[in-house]
Structure formats: C-alpha cells, structure tokens
Amino acid sequence: QKEVEQDPGPLSVPEGAIVSLNCTYSNSAFQYFMWYRQYSRKGPELLMYTYSSGNKEDGRFTAQVDKSSKYISLFIRDSQPSDSATYLCAMSDGDSSYKLIFGSGTRLLVRP
Amino acid sequence: DTGVSQDPRHKITKRGQNVTFRCDPISEHNRLYWYRQTLGQGPEFLTYFQNEAQLEKSRLLSDRFSAERPKGSFSTLEIQRTEQGDSAMYLCASSAPGAGTDTQYFGPGTRLTVL
C-alpha cells in the first residue's frame, strides 16, 4: 500500500463547478501538506501549503487538512478551463526528512 | 527568469550510454532536491542536498546514479549505463532555509528517453 493515495481520475466538470480533490495517507508523522498543479510535460507548480490541521484559502483555492482522519482536500471554486491539469498532493514530516511524498495525481478536465 | 532551471529539457540516448543532467536552483536556495516521475505517477524522491552536502538518498538511487553539488550552487545528476527503465522525467526542486519543511519549487524537468 502506498503512503499517499490519490484517485487518478480523470475528473470532468463543467466550467464554473466546484471541484473537490482528495488524498488519504497512512503516515501519522506527516505534518506538512502541499498541493501542486502540473500541466502536461511541465514541472509541478506549488498551489497551496498547509501546516498541520485546518483550512487555508487563497483566491479560488481552499486546502483542508484533517489529521485525525489522515485526509486532505483541495477545493477549486468557479473552475475554469485553464484549471485543466493534473493535481498532485504532497506531504512530509519535516523532522526526520524534508523529502516530499507525492500522490499519483488526479487529472482534472474543466469543460467550457 | 529567476526560477529553477534544468538542462537539457529532453535527452534521447541509447541503452548503455551515460547521461548527465544539470539543475540551477533559485538563487540563495540552499536546499536542492532531485525527483523522478514516470507516466501517470507522482514524483518520487531521489536525493537531497543542503548546500554542498548530500544528506539523504533514496533506495531508488542505485549505484548507477550519482549526484553532486560541488559548490552549493548548481547540481548534476549522472546516470551511468542507462537502461530502458530509466526513461522518466527527472525533476529538480529547490527551497530556502527555514524551520520544518520548506516549500519546494520545481523546475521544468528533463525528459529522458532510453532506446
């Protein structure tokens, strides 16, 4: 079993919809959580960074972390066709190692 | 452009050849990371430097792989005797000093194809 599980999709939604992307993890030592967006054949681009549990909002994006359930989410409001990409969750414990453990990514398609 | 840069962007080689990739981190970022990403998967950690010291290596980094960061600035990743299974996107990331995990910024990657 992978340390971080993420539904690969694809997830197809109409323009303007609210998108919910999720990851589960098994390592209770993880305390830093990130979401990256990756366009085809490009490097990952950092979207959101969250420490420990709670919510964080940045424009149309909201990240949620529930450490008790080992579950993180990214919500995208008013989705746009330009949001079509692969979304990767990543996490680390930040104490024994700074390396990021990634999910396999969810491919999102926003239809005009 | 002050982001992470990688060179080359694409590399096609024949099995058994050696290849070397270069990564230039964001200026003043003292941590530098290498990851590998195959199709349909997330990036997998390979190794990490703090300044010129290589502090962590993944078990994925076989003895055919070697990474250096000689002066704490740019880094190189060399793969010797390439195999078809080495075909992947090799990503470099850098981060600034800070407590706990710092935010890692990725370069565009080097796509390696081994024929």
Side-chain angles (χ1 to χ4, degrees), chain A residues 88-105:
Chain A
L88 297 156
C89 63
M91 48 200 79
S92 76
D93 62 34
D95 288 329
S96 62
S97 174
Y98 296 115
K99 68 184 178 190
L100 295 179
I101 308 299
F102 281 85
S104 57

Side-chain angles (χ1 to χ4, degrees), chain A residues 44-65:
Chain A
E45 170 194 8
L46 180 67
L47 282 177
M48 300 288 284
Y49 170 90
T50 310
Y51 170 68
S52 194
S53 286
N55 294 0
K56 185 174 182 179
E57 187 174 323
D58 185 1
R60 295 185 297 113
F61 300 93
T62 299
Q64 287 186 352
V65 175

Side-chain angles (χ1 to χ4, degrees), chain B residues 89-101:
Chain B
M89 172 83 92
Y90 290 83
L91 293 161
C92 176
S94 71
S95 65
T101 283

Side-chain angles (χ1 to χ4, degrees), chain A residues 2 4 9 16 19-21 24 27 33 35 37 40-41 46 52 56-57 59 68 76 79-80 86 93 99 106:
Chain A
K2 292 184 177 181
V4 180
V19 175
S20 173
L21 303 165
T24 59
N27 188 345
F33 304 92
W35 285 94
R37 177 174 62 194
S40 181
R41 297 183 174 270
L46 180 67
S52 194
K56 185 174 182 179
E57 187 174 323
S68 62
I76 307 174
S79 56
Q80 303 295 310
T86 295
D93 62 34
K99 68 184 178 190
T106 298

Side-chain angles (χ1 to χ4, degrees), chain B residues 4-8 19-25 32-35 46-49 51-54 56-57 61 64-80 90-93 110:
Chain B
V4 177
S5 62
Q6 293 187 245
D7 184 70
V19 294
T20 299
F21 310 140
R22 175 179 170 126
C23 171
D24 286 90
L32 187 148
Y33 305 77
W34 286 98
Y35 292 82
L46 292 178
T47 190
Y48 139 67
F49 291 84
N51 298 312
E52 64 274 10
Q54 188 173 18
E56 188 174 355
K57 291 195 294 186
L61 213 65
R64 296 185 298 106
F65 288 71
S66 62
E68 294 182 343
R69 194 181 184 197
K71 295 183 179 179
S73 56
F74 72 92
S75 175
T76 58
L77 178 68
E78 180 183 18
I79 309 174
Q80 296 182 329
Y90 290 83
L91 293 161
C92 176
T110 294

